[in-house]
Amino acid sequence: MKIMKRNRLFIYLLLLLPALVMQSCLKNQEDFFEEPSSERLANFNANAYNTLRSSENGWVLDYYPGSGAQYGGVSMVVKFDSLQATFYSEFTSSDESVTSYYKMTNEAGATIIFDTYNDILHYFSEGTSSRYQAMGGDIEFVIDSIGEDVVKVHGARSRNTMYFRRLAKAPEEYIAEVQAVAEDFVYGKYKGNWGGQDVDVTLDLNSYQASFAVQGAEEVTTVSTAFCLTDYGMRLYKPVTVNGVTLTDFDFDYDAGTLSARNVATPVVLQGELPEGYRKFADYEGDYTLTYNKGTKSVKVHLTPDEANSCYYMTGLFANKPDVPVVVTYSKSEGNLMICSQMVGLTSSNQVWICAWDTTAGSLTWNTSAGVKTVWNGDEENPSYSFVNNGLTTYAIDSFIMWTLNAAGTASTGQYSGTDYKINNSAQMAFWVSLAKIKE
């Protein structure tokens, strides 16, 4: 019996031990934090709310939509009052703003939610019929830390880290200065010495992605990150370190063609290089003769810039619908134009496309990357641009053809047989030659 009692007592103590330990842990936890977690979160949220409202000029937000900041950065300014936030963006007029409501919540941690529609922010987050996933942009931002001049957040959707930086000048002034940098930011390649090592820099000026090729003794190491334009130049999404020297911000000098590192003890200057035959965006506007069929046929067209100065609209191609545009993209890093497969209209039940055509292989494609790009003849007085394959697909594109796809744009329904979208009364434009500017 004594043995039985001892065993029962031992078992009882074992069962009691976790409860004692748990009470001890809870007591230590209560001692460690002076207030409950819900109260701490509410105070943190209130601190963020008061801090964001405290900036008279608002906050600079380098906004990075898409997983891994795949679309690059967009410069914005956000001003907060007690209920609403006013947005400014580099992609709108510097004095244009959009105001919408926001709220602070504690549901999944301290979070700012811009939950009513505005044209600037929701452009990147809301899908359309042609872009159903939008750009993966955020309207909810989880607050990670709060400083007097910097509030660190991350996108609830993209998980991208972003910062609200206190602005010391008027939002309109900041956006205008960013836009001035963007207009002159034409160098796609740079070279320089960074941390005692030679570095080649490649910037994609359409997607705002940067690649740093570090020339080591035995191999080349490449580091890539997105970037955003600022009122002084460029800021990287993630800091880049070369041989112990870490850089994030660069001053841009258009006249010198340089990017110079900011806030470093030892100067780092990257010298920009423009490719041969580079043309600025404004050089392309005007009337042209588009020659094809190995020079035996031509059509007069006009290139009109879009409002954002990012592409041109080519009109006049279709005799029966002269105002229907074909989008001609501009590469800021290469200084050339590109025409690719694209939808231009609709029939009763199908989509009408101008499709890139590889006549050598006898293949056409509605891949929107397939097409031709221009090469300038170097003549300022009589500029002419020859067409070559853009090299973005496996097709050797030298021509275009009018084609139809089903209503969903997923399957071919044959060569276009209507009349509205023909060029010189034909659905085929074989062997593109050149685009020659017509003097006024």
Side-chain angles (χ1 to χ4, degrees):
M1 291 292 295
K2 289 183 180 180
I3 294 175
M4 291 288 293
K5 287 182 178 180
R6 282 185 180 180
N7 286 342
R8 287 176 180 174
L9 180 61
F10 181 69
I11 292 171
Y12 174 75
L13 289 174
L14 286 176
L15 292 173
L16 187 61
L17 184 60
L20 294 174
V21 172
M22 185 176 293
Q23 287 183 0
S24 176
C25 290
L26 290 173
K27 184 177 187 306
N28 289 339
Q29 188 176 28
E30 290 170 359
D31 289 343
F32 184 77
F33 295 108
E34 296 181 355
E35 53 193 14
S37 60
S38 59
E39 188 174 341
R40 291 196 308 274
L41 185 57
N43 290 338
F44 184 81
N45 221 352
N47 184 20
Y49 177 68
N50 292 330
T51 299
L52 291 172
R53 291 173 56 211
S54 70
S55 178
E56 179 182 355
N57 295 301
W59 302 79
V60 172
L61 172 63
D62 294 353
Y63 180 80
Y64 287 94
S67 176
Q70 67 187 96
Y71 298 108
V74 180
S75 294
M76 296 185 182
V77 172
V78 190
K79 284 184 67 174
F80 294 86
D81 65 19
S82 59
L83 295 173
Q84 295 180 309
T86 301
F87 282 78
Y88 303 77
S89 165
E90 66 171 299
F91 292 136
T92 60
S93 174
S94 61
D95 59 356
E96 181 181 346
S97 62
V98 177
T99 299
S100 59
Y101 288 93
Y102 74 97
K103 64 183 179 183
M104 311 284 290
T105 75
N106 296 332
E107 294 175 4
T111 305
I112 314 168
I113 302 178
F114 300 97
D115 54 351
T116 57
Y117 184 85
N118 75 60
D119 291 335
I120 292 178
L121 188 64
H122 286 75
Y123 170 81
F124 301 98
S125 61
E126 292 200 355
T128 64
S129 58
S130 61
R131 199 179 49 137
Y132 71 96
Q133 288 185 318
M135 296 174 71
D138 291 285
I139 61 171
E140 299 184 18
F141 300 85
V142 180
I143 303 169
D144 298 318
S145 64
I146 306 166
E148 183 178 352
D149 295 322
V150 178
V151 176
K152 180 183 178 183
V153 300
H154 69 266
R157 179 184 186 184
S158 70
R159 313 301 296 176
N160 295 337
T161 298
M162 293 172 254
Y163 298 88
F164 288 93
R165 295 178 170 89
R166 188 181 293 270
L167 183 60
K169 61 181 68 171
E172 298 86 352
E173 181 183 354
Y174 180 85
I175 293 298
E177 290 174 355
V178 171
Q179 291 171 336
V181 170
E183 185 174 350
D184 292 336
F185 207 75
V186 297
Y187 294 87
K189 294 185 182 298
Y190 292 82
K191 290 182 180 291
N193 190 277
W194 178 340
Q197 291 183 270
D198 291 332
V199 176
D200 292 334
V201 184
T202 301
L203 303 182
D204 186 325
L205 303 182
N206 294 317
S207 65
Y208 282 14
Q209 301 291 326
S211 177
F212 302 85
V214 183
Q215 309 296 324
E218 298 180 355
E219 61 180 0
V220 176
T221 302
T222 302
V223 181
S224 298
T225 185
F227 67 88
C228 191
L229 297 185
T230 68
D231 56 340
Y232 52 78
M234 177 180 82
R235 179 162 46 230
L236 303 179
Y237 173 61
K238 293 181 179 179
V240 173
T241 301
V242 177
N243 202 22
V245 178
T246 301
L247 302 180
T248 304
D249 292 78
F250 297 84
D251 285 307
F252 175 64
D253 187 322
Y254 173 73
D255 294 327
T258 57
L259 286 173
S260 302
R262 292 168 65 94
N263 306 318
V264 292
T266 303
V268 175
V269 179
L270 305 173
Q271 181 63 54
E273 300 177 345
L274 292 177
E276 185 178 355
Y278 187 92
R279 299 290 275 167
K280 292 183 178 179
F281 181 83
D283 294 333
Y284 288 103
E285 184 175 4
D287 294 309
Y288 289 85
T289 298
L290 195 164
T291 303
Y292 64 102
N293 203 42
K294 297 184 177 179
T296 64
K297 293 184 178 182
S298 65
V299 59
K300 287 182 170 51
V301 296
H302 183 80
L303 293 184
T304 304
D306 74 333
E307 293 182 358
N309 284 348
S310 61
C311 72
Y312 278 94
Y313 299 118
M314 177 189 288
T315 54
L317 193 64
F318 311 113
N320 293 332
K321 281 190 173 290
D323 295 330
V324 170
V326 171
V327 177
V328 181
T329 59
Y330 173 75
S331 171
K332 288 187 72 174
S333 57
E334 299 297 326
N336 58 14
L337 300 178
M338 191 180 303
I339 303 172
C340 296
S341 297
Q342 58 192 276
M343 187 180 79
V344 295
L346 297 168
T347 63
S348 58
S349 58
N350 294 320
Q351 298 180 4
V352 181
W353 281 62
I354 181 169
C355 285
W357 184 13
D358 178 350
T359 57
T360 302
S363 301
L364 65 93
T365 176
W366 51 91
N367 181 332
T368 55
S369 295
V372 296
K373 63 182 179 181
T374 58
V375 178
W376 179 39
N377 65 352
D379 188 340
E380 288 284 0
E381 293 297 321
N382 300 287
S384 180
Y385 306 93
S386 57
F387 293 109
V388 298
N389 177 31
N390 68 9
L392 298 182
T393 65
T394 57
Y395 298 95
I397 305 302
D398 57 9
S399 307
F400 284 87
I401 187 169
M402 302 308 299
W403 209 258
T404 59
L405 306 182
N406 61 9
T410 56
S412 167
T413 54
Q415 182 171 299
Y416 176 70
S417 60
T419 58
D420 286 343
Y421 298 100
K422 285 188 174 178
I423 303 97
N424 286 330
N425 202 33
S426 174
Q428 300 182 6
M429 288 187 76
F431 309 114
W432 280 35
V433 178
S434 65
L435 195 63
K437 198 163 192 178
I438 300 172
K439 286 188 174 181
E440 296 180 359

